[in-house]
Amino acid sequence: MSTYTTDRASPFTRAVVSSMRKLYPEALADQSFDNTGLLLEAPFDPIRRQMNSVLLTIDLTKAVADEAIERKDCVVVAYHPIIFRGFKSLTLSDCQQQSILRLALEGISVYSPHTAVDAAPGGLADWLADIVTGHLPNPEPETHTAQPQKSPPETIEEDVVSEANTSGDQPAEARKRPQRPKMSMQRTYSQPTYPSHRPVDASKTDLAPSAVDHTRSVINPVTGVEGFEGAGFGRLVSFSEPQPLTHLVERIAHGVGSPKGFPLAIPQGKQVEDIQIRTVGVSAGSGHNVLKGVDADLLFTGELSHHEALAATEKGQCVITLFHSNSERGYLSSVLKEKLTRVLKEEWERIRKEVAEAQDLTPEWEDAVKDEDVLVECSEQDRDPFGVVILQSSKQEGKPLS
């Protein structure tokens, strides 16, 4: 057997792909637009083979590609597909194509599960539902919006210019013309902040997932995939007892990595502290297609457009969005890392035995299949494009929602 193969991926890549398909079959994905599966199958060179490791990320950016190359990972599992449509060329001038070419050169493959993870039982939709139905230490903290502060009107010293008194009958005060005030722009802004990557695990956070009594149902079911009954897009959560909106805000903040803030829309004329939530429509990422027409007190998703959110509040609904990928990223460390590690160990053991039984293995191939190691890690470079910048050292006060 030749050492370098141009027609086969590494045996460990085969194990990763098989594991992901067991956990999140591609048949669960939204075939109307999505592009899931093995998007880049890098040839295997056992002489300079990669580590038996997988890097989990939401977006495969240049920074994540650099990270995977430096770590010598074998496979990048990128939730969002880096390839959505066909290419007419592959060039280094395109940033995404550059990452694909560099990864292929290093022997690193790319797999994307995307909406298959959204739809799977125990997938992204259920993870978000677990967060809104979670429970913080009893009693849950009382949460209040900021009260408007009464402050004396600002006084601005104005420069004045005296005009010549050509008429001779105007008092001096009347001849003073105010000029544009001199504005002080000395303000301090924080660096952009992003949610942490900590797992949502009862042993590592004070949020106990799915602890509040409720029922949940699938909004858009996916049928016909054996062993995945109950799959589908979105979840509708119905609480046995109404929940204060402020408590849900706290649970979401704890569950997705304690961001410094996230958008909240409520109907005009209402106070956040007074709103009680009986039902929540949940969808990861861009939630409009899943949540449109859903009769729920709260819509909880990654993003909605201005007009979609406005239409919801006009109907009396509340909306919480997290910036698109912040509704997805925590799932990698909280759920997928452990699930994939467990299944991958079994698959790698099976494939190692299968390859080892083949004849004429070179010493390099023998070394590759003797390596029992399995490692799954989350990217340290992956983050949403948007961070939250906090205005500090300023007299300006935010206006509370009402």
Side-chain angles (χ1 to χ4, degrees), residues 238-260:
S238 300
F239 291 108
S240 300
E241 298 291 338
Q243 302 291 303
L245 176 58
T246 53
H247 285 189
L248 269 63
V249 169
E250 284 282 342
R251 295 170 194 171
I252 291 168
H254 282 72
V256 301
S258 299
K260 292 294 184 182

Side-chain angles (χ1 to χ4, degrees), residues 297-347:
D297 298 332
L298 171 65
L299 304 180
F300 174 37
T301 184
E303 65 176 334
L304 288 181
S305 73
H306 165 85
H307 295 289
E308 291 159 359
L310 185 63
T313 58
E314 288 291 281
K315 291 190 296 184
Q317 295 175 305
C318 301
V319 178
I320 290 178
T321 62
L322 298 175
F323 300 123
H324 186 111
S325 67
N326 289 343
S327 65
E328 303 157 341
R329 185 163 290 101
Y331 181 82
L332 303 184
S333 58
S334 299
V335 181
L336 179 54
K337 178 180 175 179
E338 185 276 329
K339 275 189 173 183
L340 180 56
T341 299
R342 173 173 45 82
V343 176
L344 181 55
K345 286 181 178 179
E346 298 173 357
E347 282 298 294

Side-chain angles (χ1 to χ4, degrees), residues 2-293:
S2 63
T3 298
Y4 182 71
T5 63
T6 58
D7 60 349
R8 267 180 290 177
S10 74
F12 187 77
T13 298
R14 289 171 50 199
V16 174
V17 172
S18 176
S19 300
M20 289 299 297
R21 287 172 173 165
K22 281 188 173 183
L23 290 168
Y24 311 102
E26 292 163 36
L28 294 177
D30 188 341
Q31 305 297 331
S32 67
F33 78 96
D34 209 355
N35 187 34
T36 58
L38 184 60
L39 303 189
L40 173 62
E41 187 175 26
F44 178 48
D45 182 357
I47 292 181
R48 62 182 190 97
R49 67 185 178 88
Q50 307 303 105
M51 304 291 291
N52 286 352
S53 58
V54 181
L55 188 65
L56 304 180
T57 185
I58 293 296
D59 294 303
L60 180 45
T61 60
K62 180 181 181 297
V64 174
D66 290 342
E67 182 182 13
I69 292 170
E70 182 178 354
R71 287 168 41 92
K72 298 186 180 302
D73 291 308
C74 181
V75 180
V76 175
V77 172
Y79 169 79
H80 286 144
I82 192 171
I83 302 172
F84 255 117
R85 299 171 184 84
F87 291 139
K88 291 188 177 181
S89 63
L90 280 169
T91 67
L92 296 174
S93 61
D94 181 283
C95 293
Q96 289 188 320
Q97 293 175 15
Q98 182 186 115
S99 293
I100 293 170
L101 291 168
R102 292 176 61 228
L103 291 172
L105 180 64
E106 296 291 335
I108 302 174
S109 298
V110 178
Y111 187 92
S112 173
H114 203 200
T115 54
V117 178
D118 297 359
L124 253 175
D126 278 318
W127 177 69
L128 292 174
D130 287 345
I131 288 174
V132 296
T133 59
H135 194 271
L136 292 165
N138 195 27
E140 291 197 83
E142 294 184 3
T143 311
H144 300 283
T145 53
Q147 296 299 316
Q149 295 183 0
K150 294 182 179 179
S151 57
E154 293 186 11
T155 58
I156 303 176
E157 293 185 1
E158 299 177 343
D159 290 343
V160 295
V161 177
S162 298
E163 296 180 341
N165 185 7
T166 55
S167 63
D169 56 358
Q170 287 186 327
E173 291 77 12
R175 299 195 302 271
K176 292 182 178 179
R177 177 164 53 88
Q179 301 298 300
R180 184 179 298 236
K182 293 179 179 179
M183 303 298 292
S184 173
M185 298 304 293
Q186 293 183 356
R187 292 179 177 170
T188 303
Y189 294 85
S190 71
Q191 292 293 325
T193 62
Y194 307 88
S196 70
H197 291 180
R198 71 178 186 183
V200 180
D201 179 8
S203 64
K204 299 176 183 178
T205 180
D206 51 1
L207 177 71
S210 193
V212 177
D213 192 29
H214 71 283
T215 59
R216 71 178 70 171
S217 57
V218 176
I219 295 175
N220 295 331
V222 174
T223 59
V225 183
E226 185 178 356
F228 287 83
E229 293 74 18
F233 298 101
R235 299 293 184 268
L236 180 62
V237 172
S238 300
F239 291 108
S240 300
E241 298 291 338
Q243 302 291 303
L245 176 58
T246 53
H247 285 189
L248 269 63
V249 169
E250 284 282 342
R251 295 170 194 171
I252 291 168
H254 282 72
V256 301
S258 299
K260 292 294 184 182
F262 47 77
L264 167 64
I266 64 174
Q268 290 188 357
K270 291 192 176 182
Q271 297 286 343
V272 175
E273 296 90 342
D274 300 331
I275 297 177
Q276 297 287 315
I277 302 296
R278 288 184 175 273
T279 52
V280 184
V282 174
S283 177
S286 182
H288 174 66
N289 288 337
V290 174
L291 298 177
K292 62 183 178 183

